[in-house]
Amino acid sequence: MSFSLSKVIHLYIDRWPWFLEMLGEQICISLIAIAIAGSLGLLLGIFISEHRRFAEPVMAVCNLFYTIPAIALIALLIPFIGIGEKNAIAAIILYGLMPMVRNTYTGITNIDSDTIDAAVGMGSTKWQLLLRIKLPMAMSVIIAGLRTLTVMSIATGSIAAFIGGGGLGEAIFRGITMYNMEMTFAGALLLVLLALACDYGLGFLEKSIKKKWRMNE
């Protein structure tokens, strides 16, 4: 079966409302999952950095979810959540905890102890230490974790179509079942471009934060 790039272009032109709808669903699913996983991962990372005896078990649980294949995780959640968008979002959240927890923990625990001691010596409270010293200094590492979470969430979110959750995966799976290479490529290309755009935006933010800290040193 031959592949034609011109057919892909015509497919975008002829069915742009359909692709636009799927793109909107993909962004919605990804944003919800990223917001929840990012917030939970950040809070867990902060917690285990302050109470390090919990670091190993929390990391082990997060790593367990991270190593389960996406399609298997979605299948395991069906008895509890059913099929559809909620299942896909829950799976992405469980998948996305690991990079956020790990990077938050690593960023905070790798801060120079002399900096922490100096802040404590100046009378900083635990909250002031966290909000004014630890989180700002660890922010570039945390943003790197968010980049990993974002790209992974967009990619994993394509599986939502498999259980009726919508998104760009619908074009990919429909193309596969119909032996339509152009449709599969069209859906995959939009998915890749969305992931690259988000990664570039967060990468720019990460570089800006690093540059700001270098200027303040």
Side-chain angles (χ1 to χ4, degrees):
M1 186 181 293
S2 62
F3 172 80
S4 172
L5 190 58
S6 62
K7 288 183 179 179
V8 175
I9 296 171
H10 281 103
L11 193 60
Y12 283 139
I13 295 171
D14 295 338
R15 306 192 64 176
W16 68 265
W18 182 57
F19 281 105
L20 190 62
E21 181 184 356
M22 288 187 295
L23 181 61
E25 292 172 347
Q26 186 74 48
I27 292 172
C28 183
I29 290 169
S30 300
L31 281 178
I32 293 171
I34 291 166
I36 297 174
S39 300
L40 286 176
L42 180 66
L43 291 174
L44 279 172
I46 292 171
F47 175 78
I48 62 175
S49 68
E50 297 295 318
H51 306 85
R52 298 190 187 184
R53 65 183 181 278
F54 296 109
E56 189 173 339
V58 169
M59 288 281 199
V61 173
C62 293
N63 192 51
L64 174 64
F65 290 122
Y66 194 63
T67 54
I68 299 174
I71 193 68
L73 185 56
I74 284 175
L76 289 171
L77 291 173
I78 289 176
F80 306 99
I81 305 176
I83 61 174
E85 186 178 296
K86 290 181 180 179
N87 186 310
I89 291 172
I92 297 169
I93 290 169
L94 293 175
Y95 243 77
L97 285 175
M98 185 59 186
M100 278 302 295
V101 172
R102 180 187 58 212
N103 279 48
T104 302
Y105 176 76
T106 302
I108 292 176
T109 55
N110 282 347
I111 296 172
D112 186 15
S113 59
D114 291 339
T115 303
I116 303 296
D117 292 340
V120 172
M122 294 175 66
S124 297
T125 64
K126 292 187 74 173
W127 280 108
Q128 289 174 332
L129 198 62
L130 176 65
L131 297 176
R132 296 180 182 178
I133 305 294
K134 293 181 179 180
L135 284 179
M137 292 188 71
M139 192 55 63
S140 63
V141 181
I142 294 172
I143 294 294
L146 183 61
R147 288 178 69 181
T148 303
L149 164 63
T150 300
V151 174
M152 184 192 63
S153 297
I154 292 170
T156 307
S158 64
I159 302 177
F162 187 75
I163 52 171
L168 290 167
E170 188 175 337
I172 297 171
F173 287 116
R174 186 176 295 189
I176 292 171
T177 55
M178 295 172 61
Y179 301 101
N180 187 327
M181 292 170 55
E182 287 78 16
M183 183 175 290
T184 302
F185 181 84
L189 180 60
L190 287 177
L191 197 67
V192 169
L193 291 175
L194 177 62
L196 288 174
C198 292
D199 186 58
Y200 177 81
L202 289 171
F204 180 78
L205 178 62
E206 183 183 353
K207 289 178 182 177
S208 298
I209 291 171
K210 287 181 178 178
K211 184 178 179 181
K212 182 179 178 181
W213 271 105
R214 289 195 194 101
M215 291 174 65
N216 291 335
E217 286 179 352

Short mmCIF file of all heavy atoms in Angstrom, two decimals, residues 114-163:
data_model
loop_
_atom_site.label_atom_id
_atom_site.label_comp_id
_atom_site.label_asym_id
_atom_site.label_seq_id
_atom_site.Cartn_x
_atom_site.Cartn_y
_atom_site.Cartn_z
N ASP A 114 25.12 24.45 52.85
CA ASP A 114 25.59 25.74 53.41
C ASP A 114 24.55 26.83 53.18
O ASP A 114 24.36 27.71 54.04
CB ASP A 114 26.91 26.15 52.74
CG ASP A 114 28.07 25.25 53.15
OD1 ASP A 114 27.95 24.59 54.20
OD2 ASP A 114 29.07 25.19 52.42
N THR A 115 23.87 26.77 52.03
CA THR A 115 22.81 27.75 51.73
C THR A 115 21.66 27.60 52.72
O THR A 115 21.12 28.60 53.21
CB THR A 115 22.29 27.55 50.29
OG1 THR A 115 23.38 27.65 49.38
CG2 THR A 115 21.25 28.59 49.95
N ILE A 116 21.28 26.35 52.99
CA ILE A 116 20.20 26.08 53.94
C ILE A 116 20.59 26.54 55.34
O ILE A 116 19.80 27.20 56.04
CB ILE A 116 19.86 24.57 53.96
CG1 ILE A 116 19.49 24.07 52.56
CG2 ILE A 116 18.74 24.29 54.95
CD1 ILE A 116 18.26 24.67 51.98
N ASP A 117 21.82 26.21 55.74
CA ASP A 117 22.29 26.59 57.08
C ASP A 117 22.32 28.10 57.25
O ASP A 117 21.99 28.64 58.31
CB ASP A 117 23.69 26.00 57.32
CG ASP A 117 23.68 24.48 57.43
OD1 ASP A 117 22.59 23.94 57.71
OD2 ASP A 117 24.73 23.87 57.23
N ALA A 118 22.73 28.81 56.19
CA ALA A 118 22.79 30.27 56.26
C ALA A 118 21.41 30.87 56.44
O ALA A 118 21.21 31.81 57.21
CB ALA A 118 23.44 30.82 54.99
N ALA A 119 20.42 30.30 55.70
CA ALA A 119 19.05 30.78 55.81
C ALA A 119 18.48 30.51 57.20
O ALA A 119 17.78 31.36 57.78
CB ALA A 119 18.18 30.12 54.74
N VAL A 120 18.77 29.33 57.74
CA VAL A 120 18.31 28.98 59.09
C VAL A 120 18.96 29.91 60.11
O VAL A 120 18.31 30.38 61.06
CB VAL A 120 18.64 27.50 59.42
CG1 VAL A 120 18.35 27.20 60.89
CG2 VAL A 120 17.84 26.57 58.52
N GLY A 121 20.24 30.19 59.91
CA GLY A 121 20.97 31.07 60.82
C GLY A 121 20.42 32.49 60.83
O GLY A 121 20.53 33.21 61.83
N MET A 122 19.79 32.89 59.71
CA MET A 122 19.20 34.23 59.61
C MET A 122 17.78 34.26 60.15
O MET A 122 17.10 35.29 60.08
CB MET A 122 19.22 34.70 58.16
CG MET A 122 20.63 34.93 57.62
SD MET A 122 20.65 35.34 55.85
CE MET A 122 19.83 36.94 55.87
N GLY A 123 17.32 33.11 60.68
CA GLY A 123 16.02 33.07 61.32
C GLY A 123 14.86 32.67 60.44
O GLY A 123 13.69 32.90 60.80
N SER A 124 15.13 32.06 59.29
CA SER A 124 14.05 31.64 58.39
C SER A 124 13.26 30.48 59.00
O SER A 124 13.84 29.55 59.57
CB SER A 124 14.62 31.18 57.04
OG SER A 124 15.26 32.25 56.38
N THR A 125 11.94 30.54 58.90
CA THR A 125 11.09 29.45 59.36
C THR A 125 11.10 28.34 58.31
O THR A 125 11.63 28.51 57.20
CB THR A 125 9.64 29.92 59.58
OG1 THR A 125 9.09 30.33 58.30
CG2 THR A 125 9.60 31.08 60.55
N LYS A 126 10.49 27.20 58.63
CA LYS A 126 10.46 26.08 57.69
C LYS A 126 9.71 26.44 56.42
O LYS A 126 10.11 26.05 55.32
CB LYS A 126 9.81 24.85 58.34
CG LYS A 126 10.63 24.24 59.46
CD LYS A 126 10.03 22.94 59.96
CE LYS A 126 10.25 21.82 58.97
NZ LYS A 126 9.83 20.50 59.52
N TRP A 127 8.61 27.19 56.56
CA TRP A 127 7.85 27.61 55.39
C TRP A 127 8.61 28.63 54.56
O TRP A 127 8.59 28.59 53.32
CB TRP A 127 6.50 28.19 55.82
CG TRP A 127 5.48 27.14 56.14
CD1 TRP A 127 5.01 26.79 57.38
CD2 TRP A 127 4.82 26.27 55.22
NE1 TRP A 127 4.10 25.77 57.29
CE2 TRP A 127 3.96 25.43 55.96
CE3 TRP A 127 4.86 26.12 53.84
CZ2 TRP A 127 3.15 24.46 55.39
CZ3 TRP A 127 4.06 25.15 53.24
CH2 TRP A 127 3.22 24.34 54.00
N GLN A 128 9.28 29.56 55.22
CA GLN A 128 10.09 30.55 54.49
C GLN A 128 11.24 29.86 53.77
O GLN A 128 11.57 30.22 52.62
CB GLN A 128 10.63 31.60 55.47
CG GLN A 128 9.58 32.55 56.00
CD GLN A 128 10.12 33.47 57.07
OE1 GLN A 128 11.07 33.13 57.79
NE2 GLN A 128 9.51 34.65 57.20
N LEU A 129 11.82 28.89 54.43
CA LEU A 129 12.92 28.12 53.83
C LEU A 129 12.45 27.39 52.58
O LEU A 129 13.15 27.37 51.56
CB LEU A 129 13.45 27.12 54.86
CG LEU A 129 14.84 26.52 54.63
CD1 LEU A 129 15.89 27.62 54.65
CD2 LEU A 129 15.13 25.48 55.70
N LEU A 130 11.25 26.82 52.65
CA LEU A 130 10.71 26.06 51.52
C LEU A 130 10.32 26.98 50.36
O LEU A 130 10.70 26.73 49.22
CB LEU A 130 9.48 25.26 51.98
CG LEU A 130 8.73 24.48 50.89
CD1 LEU A 130 9.61 23.38 50.32
CD2 LEU A 130 7.44 23.89 51.45
N LEU A 131 9.59 28.04 50.69
CA LEU A 131 9.04 28.90 49.64
C LEU A 131 10.04 29.89 49.05
O LEU A 131 9.93 30.25 47.87
CB LEU A 131 7.83 29.67 50.19
CG LEU A 131 6.63 28.80 50.63
CD1 LEU A 131 5.54 29.68 51.25
CD2 LEU A 131 6.06 28.01 49.46
N ARG A 132 11.00 30.32 49.86
CA ARG A 132 11.93 31.36 49.40
C ARG A 132 13.30 30.83 48.99
O ARG A 132 14.03 31.49 48.26
CB ARG A 132 12.11 32.42 50.49
CG ARG A 132 10.83 33.18 50.82
CD ARG A 132 11.09 34.21 51.90
NE ARG A 132 9.86 34.91 52.27
CZ ARG A 132 9.78 35.85 53.21
NH1 ARG A 132 10.89 36.20 53.88
NH2 ARG A 132 8.64 36.45 53.49
N ILE A 133 13.65 29.64 49.47
CA ILE A 133 14.98 29.09 49.17
C ILE A 133 14.89 27.79 48.37
O ILE A 133 15.37 27.72 47.23
CB ILE A 133 15.79 28.83 50.47
CG1 ILE A 133 15.87 30.10 51.33
CG2 ILE A 133 17.17 28.28 50.13
CD1 ILE A 133 16.66 31.21 50.71
N LYS A 134 14.25 26.77 48.96
CA LYS A 134 14.30 25.44 48.36
C LYS A 134 13.58 25.36 47.01
O LYS A 134 14.16 24.91 46.01
CB LYS A 134 13.70 24.42 49.33
CG LYS A 134 14.54 24.21 50.59
CD LYS A 134 13.92 23.17 51.51
CE LYS A 134 14.77 22.95 52.76
NZ LYS A 134 14.17 21.94 53.67
N LEU A 135 12.31 25.78 46.98
CA LEU A 135 11.55 25.67 45.73
C LEU A 135 12.13 26.53 44.61
O LEU A 135 12.27 26.05 43.48
CB LEU A 135 10.07 25.99 45.97
CG LEU A 135 9.25 24.89 46.66
CD1 LEU A 135 7.81 25.35 46.85
CD2 LEU A 135 9.29 23.60 45.85
N PRO A 136 12.48 27.81 44.88
CA PRO A 136 13.08 28.60 43.80
C PRO A 136 14.38 28.01 43.27
O PRO A 136 14.61 28.00 42.06
CB PRO A 136 13.33 29.96 44.47
CG PRO A 136 12.30 30.04 45.54
CD PRO A 136 12.19 28.64 46.07
N MET A 137 15.23 27.48 44.17
CA MET A 137 16.51 26.93 43.73
C MET A 137 16.33 25.59 43.00
O MET A 137 17.15 25.23 42.16
CB MET A 137 17.45 26.75 44.93
CG MET A 137 17.91 28.05 45.55
SD MET A 137 19.17 27.84 46.82
CE MET A 137 20.58 27.37 45.81
N ALA A 138 15.27 24.87 43.33
CA ALA A 138 15.02 23.57 42.69
C ALA A 138 14.12 23.69 41.46
O ALA A 138 13.84 22.69 40.79
CB ALA A 138 14.38 22.62 43.70
N MET A 139 13.67 24.92 41.15
CA MET A 139 12.64 25.09 40.13
C MET A 139 13.04 24.59 38.75
O MET A 139 12.23 24.00 38.03
CB MET A 139 12.23 26.57 40.05
CG MET A 139 10.97 26.82 39.23
SD MET A 139 9.54 25.84 39.79
CE MET A 139 9.30 26.49 41.45
N SER A 140 14.28 24.79 38.35
CA SER A 140 14.70 24.34 37.01
C SER A 140 14.63 22.82 36.90
O SER A 140 14.25 22.28 35.86
CB SER A 140 16.11 24.83 36.69
OG SER A 140 17.07 24.29 37.57
N VAL A 141 14.98 22.12 37.98
CA VAL A 141 14.90 20.65 37.99
C VAL A 141 13.45 20.20 37.99
O VAL A 141 13.08 19.23 37.32
CB VAL A 141 15.64 20.07 39.22
CG1 VAL A 141 15.59 18.54 39.21
CG2 VAL A 141 17.08 20.53 39.25
N ILE A 142 12.60 20.92 38.72
CA ILE A 142 11.17 20.60 38.76
C ILE A 142 10.55 20.83 37.38
O ILE A 142 9.74 20.01 36.92
CB ILE A 142 10.46 21.47 39.83
CG1 ILE A 142 10.96 21.08 41.23
CG2 ILE A 142 8.94 21.28 39.75
CD1 ILE A 142 10.48 22.01 42.33
N ILE A 143 10.93 21.91 36.71
CA ILE A 143 10.41 22.19 35.36
C ILE A 143 10.83 21.09 34.39
O ILE A 143 10.06 20.69 33.51
CB ILE A 143 10.90 23.55 34.85
CG1 ILE A 143 10.31 24.69 35.69
CG2 ILE A 143 10.53 23.75 33.38
CD1 ILE A 143 8.81 24.85 35.56
N ALA A 144 12.05 20.55 34.56
CA ALA A 144 12.51 19.44 33.72
C ALA A 144 11.61 18.22 33.91
O ALA A 144 11.29 17.51 32.96
CB ALA A 144 13.96 19.09 34.05
N GLY A 145 11.20 17.97 35.16
CA GLY A 145 10.27 16.88 35.43
C GLY A 145 8.92 17.13 34.80
O GLY A 145 8.27 16.22 34.29
N LEU A 146 8.48 18.40 34.83
CA LEU A 146 7.21 18.77 34.22
C LEU A 146 7.26 18.57 32.70
O LEU A 146 6.26 18.17 32.09
CB LEU A 146 6.88 20.22 34.55
CG LEU A 146 5.53 20.75 34.05
CD1 LEU A 146 4.37 19.96 34.65
CD2 LEU A 146 5.38 22.24 34.40
N ARG A 147 8.41 18.84 32.10
CA ARG A 147 8.58 18.60 30.66
C ARG A 147 8.39 17.12 30.33
O ARG A 147 7.69 16.77 29.38
CB ARG A 147 9.96 19.05 30.19
CG ARG A 147 10.17 20.54 30.13
CD ARG A 147 11.58 20.89 29.71
NE ARG A 147 11.83 20.54 28.31
CZ ARG A 147 13.00 20.73 27.72
NH1 ARG A 147 14.02 21.25 28.39
NH2 ARG A 147 13.16 20.41 26.44
N THR A 148 9.02 16.27 31.13
CA THR A 148 8.89 14.82 30.93
C THR A 148 7.44 14.39 31.10
O THR A 148 6.90 13.63 30.29
CB THR A 148 9.78 14.05 31.93
OG1 THR A 148 11.12 14.47 31.79
CG2 THR A 148 9.69 12.55 31.70
N LEU A 149 6.80 14.90 32.15
CA LEU A 149 5.39 14.60 32.42
C LEU A 149 4.51 15.03 31.25
O LEU A 149 3.63 14.29 30.83
CB LEU A 149 4.96 15.31 33.70
CG LEU A 149 3.45 15.44 33.96
CD1 LEU A 149 2.81 14.08 34.11
CD2 LEU A 149 3.19 16.30 35.19
N THR A 150 4.75 16.22 30.73
CA THR A 150 3.91 16.77 29.66
C THR A 150 4.00 15.94 28.38
O THR A 150 2.97 15.55 27.81
CB THR A 150 4.31 18.23 29.36
OG1 THR A 150 4.14 19.01 30.55
CG2 THR A 150 3.47 18.81 28.25
N VAL A 151 5.20 15.68 27.92
CA VAL A 151 5.40 14.90 26.70
C VAL A 151 4.82 13.50 26.85
O VAL A 151 4.14 12.98 25.96
CB VAL A 151 6.89 14.83 26.32
CG1 VAL A 151 7.11 13.91 25.13
CG2 VAL A 151 7.42 16.23 26.00
N MET A 152 5.08 12.89 28.02
CA MET A 152 4.58 11.54 28.27
C MET A 152 3.06 11.52 28.34
O MET A 152 2.42 10.59 27.84
CB MET A 152 5.17 11.02 29.58
CG MET A 152 4.80 9.60 29.91
SD MET A 152 5.25 9.23 31.61
CE MET A 152 4.20 10.38 32.49
N SER A 153 2.46 12.55 28.93
CA SER A 153 1.01 12.61 29.06
C SER A 153 0.33 12.75 27.69
O SER A 153 -0.70 12.13 27.44
CB SER A 153 0.60 13.80 29.95
OG SER A 153 1.10 13.64 31.25
N ILE A 154 0.92 13.56 26.83
CA ILE A 154 0.36 13.73 25.48
C ILE A 154 0.44 12.43 24.71
O ILE A 154 -0.51 12.02 24.04
CB ILE A 154 1.10 14.87 24.74
CG1 ILE A 154 0.78 16.21 25.40
CG2 ILE A 154 0.69 14.91 23.27
CD1 ILE A 154 1.63 17.36 24.90
N ALA A 155 1.59 11.75 24.81
CA ALA A 155 1.76 10.48 24.11
C ALA A 155 0.83 9.40 24.66
O ALA A 155 0.15 8.70 23.90
CB ALA A 155 3.21 10.02 24.21
N THR A 156 0.77 9.29 25.99
CA THR A 156 -0.09 8.28 26.62
C THR A 156 -1.55 8.60 26.39
O THR A 156 -2.38 7.71 26.27
CB THR A 156 0.20 8.21 28.14
OG1 THR A 156 1.59 8.03 28.35
CG2 THR A 156 -0.56 7.07 28.78
N GLY A 157 -1.88 9.89 26.30
CA GLY A 157 -3.27 10.31 26.10
C GLY A 157 -3.86 9.83 24.80
O GLY A 157 -5.09 9.77 24.65
N SER A 158 -3.01 9.48 23.84
CA SER A 158 -3.53 8.97 22.56
C SER A 158 -4.26 7.65 22.73
O SER A 158 -5.12 7.30 21.92
CB SER A 158 -2.38 8.80 21.56
OG SER A 158 -1.46 7.80 22.02
N ILE A 159 -3.94 6.92 23.80
CA ILE A 159 -4.59 5.64 24.05
C ILE A 159 -6.02 5.83 24.54
O ILE A 159 -6.81 4.89 24.57
CB ILE A 159 -3.76 4.81 25.06
CG1 ILE A 159 -2.35 4.60 24.52
CG2 ILE A 159 -4.38 3.45 25.34
CD1 ILE A 159 -1.42 3.86 25.46
N ALA A 160 -6.38 7.06 24.92
CA ALA A 160 -7.74 7.34 25.38
C ALA A 160 -8.78 6.92 24.34
O ALA A 160 -9.88 6.48 24.68
CB ALA A 160 -7.89 8.82 25.71
N ALA A 161 -8.43 7.07 23.06
CA ALA A 161 -9.36 6.72 21.99
C ALA A 161 -9.70 5.24 22.00
O ALA A 161 -10.77 4.83 21.56
CB ALA A 161 -8.76 7.10 20.64
N PHE A 162 -8.79 4.43 22.52
CA PHE A 162 -8.99 2.98 22.56
C PHE A 162 -10.17 2.60 23.46
O PHE A 162 -10.81 1.57 23.26
CB PHE A 162 -7.71 2.30 23.05
CG PHE A 162 -7.73 0.81 22.98
CD1 PHE A 162 -7.60 0.15 21.77
CD2 PHE A 162 -7.88 0.05 24.13
CE1 PHE A 162 -7.63 -1.24 21.71
CE2 PHE A 162 -7.90 -1.32 24.08
CZ PHE A 162 -7.77 -1.98 22.86
N ILE A 163 -10.46 3.45 24.46
CA ILE A 163 -11.57 3.17 25.38
C ILE A 163 -12.65 4.24 25.28
O ILE A 163 -13.39 4.49 26.22
CB ILE A 163 -11.07 3.06 26.84
CG1 ILE A 163 -10.23 4.30 27.22
CG2 ILE A 163 -10.27 1.79 27.06
CD1 ILE A 163 -9.88 4.38 28.69
#
